[in-house]
Amino acid sequence: MKTRLFLFSFLLMLLSPASFAAQCNNQQQVSALDNNFELAIKNANSNFLQQVLADNFIWVHNLKSMTETKTSLLKRLAADNYETPVQRTSVIEHFIQGQDTWSVMGISHVYKLRPTEADENNIRHYQYYFSRSYQQIDGKCKLLSSMTMKIHTEDGARVLP
């Protein structure tokens, strides 16, 4: 029984989002890490972000309408008024590999509750182009930067399963 409990605990540790922060040696590891980054933003998972964001992390939003550092992003996510998206996903369309750096580019889909006069349960779908850079630092894969640019907004969206 103790062996099963140990194996189950070990498996959970391996599947935890933090375990993906260890390396960025291949496209699959970077893709998994990027998916976990999206989940961490959606769920305001500051513990995961604290591990994966480089100390000098920067996020440039919508043609520099807002710029966030690691500290300011964690503060925004911890705020009582942080609005958790209904859903947040991304599709990576391009990978570029350097010596110890990966850049990923694609489209993020963010769904938020935005009541209107006609529909108090309106869900607005935002699409953003993104580019993020990861680098192997001290044996761990860290997110150095993120750039997002809104490309489409639509009301009356249906959340994808």
Side-chain angles (χ1 to χ4, degrees):
M1 182 67 177
K2 286 184 180 182
T3 304
R4 284 186 186 172
L5 184 60
F6 173 77
L7 289 175
F8 180 73
S9 299
F10 183 72
L11 206 87
L12 283 177
M13 181 187 75
L14 287 177
L15 295 175
S16 73
S19 67
F20 291 111
Q23 300 291 314
C24 49
N25 294 323
N26 60 52
Q27 192 169 309
Q28 291 78 18
Q29 289 175 338
V30 174
S31 181
L33 183 58
D34 199 68
N35 285 333
N36 282 305
F37 169 74
E38 287 283 354
L39 282 173
I41 296 295
K42 177 189 181 294
N43 298 318
N45 185 344
S46 295
N47 291 332
F48 175 76
L49 292 170
Q50 184 69 37
Q51 293 176 40
V52 77
L53 299 179
D55 290 339
N56 60 345
F57 168 80
I58 188 162
W59 185 345
V60 179
H61 298 262
N62 289 322
L63 302 173
K64 206 173 177 186
S65 66
M66 181 170 82
T67 303
E68 290 181 292
T69 63
K70 179 178 183 175
T71 302
S72 62
L73 174 61
L74 293 172
K75 184 177 178 181
R76 177 171 64 95
L77 296 178
D80 290 337
N81 65 346
Y82 176 67
E83 180 187 2
T84 303
V86 174
Q87 186 175 32
R88 184 181 177 101
T89 60
S90 67
V91 177
I92 298 174
E93 297 179 347
H94 301 286
F95 289 88
I96 299 173
Q97 182 183 12
Q99 184 174 352
D100 61 354
T101 305
W102 283 85
S103 292
V104 295
M105 290 147 277
I107 305 295
S108 287
H109 300 270
V110 180
Y111 298 83
K112 292 185 176 182
L113 186 60
R114 289 289 184 263
T116 63
E117 286 184 28
D119 182 4
E120 65 182 32
N121 296 312
N122 180 57
I123 295 178
R124 187 168 294 158
H125 175 204
Y126 300 91
Q127 286 183 314
Y128 296 91
Y129 170 79
F130 71 85
S131 177
R132 293 190 271 269
S133 296
Y134 293 89
Q135 184 176 28
Q136 198 76 18
I137 300 173
D138 296 330
K140 294 184 179 177
C141 193
K142 298 285 189 173
L143 180 56
L144 295 175
S145 64
S146 179
M147 183 282 302
T148 51
M149 183 170 39
K150 192 184 311 178
I151 56 176
H152 181 73
T153 305
E154 178 181 4
D155 280 329
R158 303 234 185 269
V159 176
L160 302 174

